[in-house]
């Protein structure tokens, strides 16, 4: 029941679409619902369709069964208000009305027929035979019950529907399945335990045990396994030896199955004197010595009698045959045996001579000699009863270091007799195996800044030979890299193959090494093999970023002046930092550490450009303090900071709104700097030219002259590479960006190689040292020479 509505509603979720048609029509919905449906389950009836709009649209209401279902008047969803039980309620029939709110109202009806589907939720209940205590029933039947007689009948009931209540009966456990049978449909049993299964899904079951007591009568005579036994006995069998163990069986029980054994009256006295019969066990043993030449065959009859009230008996015939015995063992004699032998011994070489003999005659005196199979040897008969042991396959001490050879001689008697002799053949080692490394290529990663003498790896080889043929010595195969021998960089322990570093490596100078290690045994002649070793120097974040722009003449504070009328988005300053670590560790990001007004300036974290976020107002202080930190991507991260003090000045000069928008082929100077350069440049021009010529002549190798177009600022180098923008692509790009930034302040940028030759020291000095400025400019060219000693930026003027 939904509160607040004029009509009771019920809901049911169905899997098909129901369409209400017309007014006054009546459609029927048939819906199957499992009795396992939980309370509150939602079922779907498709919403009734009304082409009208507004107040003429439909409403849905049910006319009955509001105690069982509720309905949502908006979408027609039905909800179960209770759980269902097929055994109590099997179906429901009610109506649902869809009515619009027009005037007059129009409606449509549908009949909902819900059928509760049975679930197999009731297990069979065994009602017969009656079990007063537990599930065990005892039944007694006479021993003489005829075949097919009913022992018991099990009846089980299941309250589920027809399909789920179809019951079948099965044995769950039976002592002897050959004694009883069970009808799977009517439950008639001839067993002691049964299992009943209904036909539901999932199947459910009930169990009952029936104990049947059978009263025995002495109606079975003892029987032997055979009616005639033929037994062969050796002539020298000792007294007391067992000849045969007779075992008569009686199917009766108790005293009716107890059996005693005795000789028949027809058994001869000779037989009874020679053999003894145990009356309790039926064992026949030798009582007197046997002689094949005196008496070869003994016949006897044995009777087995039970101890029942009316004793019954059975009998069997036994024929004992005395056989001549092969009572002499063959003999074997090792005449010669060569050990040890070299593993390189040739095939067909004789290593032993063996003789055999047997004192018996006939087949008992014929002997055969053999050795174990799957050995690299064979026997070759040389003369009567003499054999040679020869090598049949190549020998390998590394696979089998020694052979235990057993010579077995067997006669052809019945039963055959045999003898054996065991010898051990030891193999001597030959240096026929080269040392073997586990891998053919080793990649070893070494962290830079390692301590000299650090163990890098253990390159141990294996040689399966023995003694001196196995003793290995390790060498570094000499190879020079940049006039440096590998033995000056690495050391290997000649005894165990431990590889050590002899120096501290610097990733920024040397990144990898490739050489070979040789392992050589001490055999004669010595054998060797080598392995390739690839040493990779792994970079550490051991170089902090160095801020090279803006130039800081004293300390880490830079003072800049910008017009107060600077537009929004104008470039105020560009921070450039360099990091000589590897690509990963040298990725630099820029952040404000301190800023006077965070709403006034923005900092690009990747290129270090500081721009205005808005125009200055009269409320903004004239002095702004910006602290920028440049942080690399290493672990842990290293950083450097620079403090920029900005002062705003009232000037009519228009500030460049975006330095990156001006072509890099032109220098950017303020009017003030231009005047200073013109004044100072004329004085120092000749001095600067003299210094440059002197340095180039002393420190640079002669090379073909490079013709360059007239330019204001250029750098002479060996690369002859031109950078056309200020993107931070490489060290050259950093250099160019620095050059561009510093020339704004009329400074000369100097780049010098570090002592190791692969790093640079970047410095900036005022242009007043000797530059002369003239009007006009040509495209700016940046060229970097890594091998130049100090390299300067020259200013060329028209």
């Amino acid at each position: 029941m939904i509160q607040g509505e004029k009509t009771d509603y019920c809901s049911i979720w169905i899997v098909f679409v129901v369409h209400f048609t017309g007014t006054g029509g009546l459609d029927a919905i048939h819906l199957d619902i499992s009795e396992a449906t939980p309370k509150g389950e939602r079922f779907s009836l498709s919403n009734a369709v009304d082409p009208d709009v507004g107040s003429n649209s439909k409403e849905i209401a049910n006319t009955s069964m509001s105690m069982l279902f509720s309905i949502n008047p908006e979408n027609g969803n039905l909800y179960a208000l209770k759980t269902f039980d097929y055994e109590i309620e099997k179906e429901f029939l009610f109506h649902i009305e869809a009515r619009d709110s027009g005037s007059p109202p129009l409606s449509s009806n549908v009949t909902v027929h819900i059928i509760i589907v049975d679930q197999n939720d009731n297990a069979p209940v065994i009602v017969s035979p009656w079990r007063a205590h537990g599930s065990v029933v005892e039944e007694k039947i006479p021993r003489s019950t005829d075949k097919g007689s009913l022992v018991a009948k099990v009846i089980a009931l299941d309250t589920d529907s027809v399909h789920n209540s179809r019951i079948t009966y099965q044995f769950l456990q039976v002592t002897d399945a050959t004694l009883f049978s069970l009808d799977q449909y009517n439950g008639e049993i001839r067993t002691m335990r049964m299992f009943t299964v209904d036909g539901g899904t999932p199947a459910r079951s009930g169990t009952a045990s029936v104990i049947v007591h059978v009263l025995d009568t002495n109606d079975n005579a003892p029987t032997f396994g055979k009616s005639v036994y033929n037994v062969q006995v050796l002539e020298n069998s000792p007294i007391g030896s067992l000849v045969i163990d007779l075992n008569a069986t009686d199917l009766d029980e108790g005293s009716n199955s107890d059996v005693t054994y005795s000789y028949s009256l027809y058994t001869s006295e000779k037989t009874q004197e020679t053999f003894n019969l145990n009356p309790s066990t039926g064992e026949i043993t030798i009582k007197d010595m046997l002689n094949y030449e005196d008496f070869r065959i003994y016949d006897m009859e044995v009777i087995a009698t039970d101890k029942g009230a009316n004793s019954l008996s059975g009998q069997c015939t036994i024929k004992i045959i005395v056989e001549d015995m092969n009572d002499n063992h063959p003999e074997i004699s090792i005449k010669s045996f060569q050990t040890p032998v070299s593993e390189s011994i040739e095939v067909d070489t004789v290593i032993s001579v063996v003789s055999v003999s047997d004192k018996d005659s006939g087949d008992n005196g014929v002997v055969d000699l053999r050795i174990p199979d799957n050995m690299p040897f064979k026997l070759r008969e040389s003369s009567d009863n003499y054999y040679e042991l020869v090598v049949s396959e190549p020998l390998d001490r590394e696979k089998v270091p020694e052979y235990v050879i057993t010579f077995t001689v067997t006669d052809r008697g019945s039963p055959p007799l045999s003898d054996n002799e065991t010898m051990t053949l030891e193999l001597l080692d030959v240096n026929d195996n080269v040392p073997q490394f586990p891998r053919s290529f080793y990649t070893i990663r070494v962290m830079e800044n390692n301590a000299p003498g650090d163990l890098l790896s253990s390159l141990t080889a294996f040689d399966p030979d023995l003694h001196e043929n196995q003793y290995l010595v390790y060498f570094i195969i000499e190879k020079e890299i940049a006039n440096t021998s590998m033995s000056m960089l690495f050391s290997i322990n000649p005894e165990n193959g431990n590889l050590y570093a002899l120096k501290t490596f610097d990733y920024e100078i040397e990144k990898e090494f490739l050489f070979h290690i040789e392992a050589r045994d001490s055999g004669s002649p010595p054998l060797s093999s080598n392995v390739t070793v690839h040493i990779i120097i792994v970079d550490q974040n051991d170089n902090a970023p160095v801020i090279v722009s803006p130039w800081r003449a004293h300390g880490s504070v830079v003072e800049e002046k910008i017009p107060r009328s600077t537009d929004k988005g104008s470039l105020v300053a560009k921070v450039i930092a360099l990091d000589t670590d590897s690509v990963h560790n040298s990725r630099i990001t820029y952040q404000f550490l301190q800023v006077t007004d965070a709403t006034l300036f923005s900092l690009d974290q990747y290129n270090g450009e500081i721009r205005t976020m808005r125009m200055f107002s009269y409320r903004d202080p004239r002095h702004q303090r910006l602290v920028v930190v440049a942080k690399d991507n290493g672990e842990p991260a290293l950083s450097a900071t620079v403090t920029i003090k900005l002062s705003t000045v009232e000037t009519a000069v228009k500030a460049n709104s975006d330095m990156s928008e001006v072509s890099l082929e032109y220098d950017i100077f303020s009017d003030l700097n231009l005047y200073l350069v013109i004044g100072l440049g004329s004085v120092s021009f000749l001095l600067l030219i003299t210094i440059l010529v002197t340095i180039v002549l002393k420190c640079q190798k002669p090379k073909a002259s490079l013709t360059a177009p007239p330019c204001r600022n250029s750098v002479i180098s060996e690369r002859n590479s031109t950078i056309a923008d200020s993107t931070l692509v490489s060290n050259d790009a950093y250099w160019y960006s620095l050059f561009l930034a510093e020339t704004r302040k009329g400074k000369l940028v100097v780049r010098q190689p570090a002592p190791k030759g692969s790093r640079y020291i970047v410095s900036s000095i005022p242009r007043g040292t000797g530059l002369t400025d003239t009007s006009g400019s040509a495209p700016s060219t940046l060229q970097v020479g890594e091998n130049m000693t100090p390299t300067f930026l020259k200013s060329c003027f028209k």
Side-chain angles (χ1 to χ4, degrees), residues 47-50 54 56-60 73-75 98-101:
N47 218 351
V49 177
D50 192 333
N56 295 327
S57 62
K58 45 77 183 169
E59 290 181 353
I60 299 178
E74 298 298 328
N75 54 28
R99 179 178 62 251
D100 62 23
S101 302

Side-chain angles (χ1 to χ4, degrees), residues 552 554-558 641-644:
R552 296 158 292 166
H554 303 286
S556 61
V557 179
V558 178
T641 60
V642 60
T643 300
I644 302 175

Side-chain angles (χ1 to χ4, degrees), residues 455 457-461 472 474 492-500:
L455 175 65
S457 181
S458 182
L459 309 177
T460 304
L472 301 181
Y474 299 88
I492 190 167
N493 188 316
E495 295 181 357
N496 57 26
N498 288 343
L499 184 64
Y500 299 91

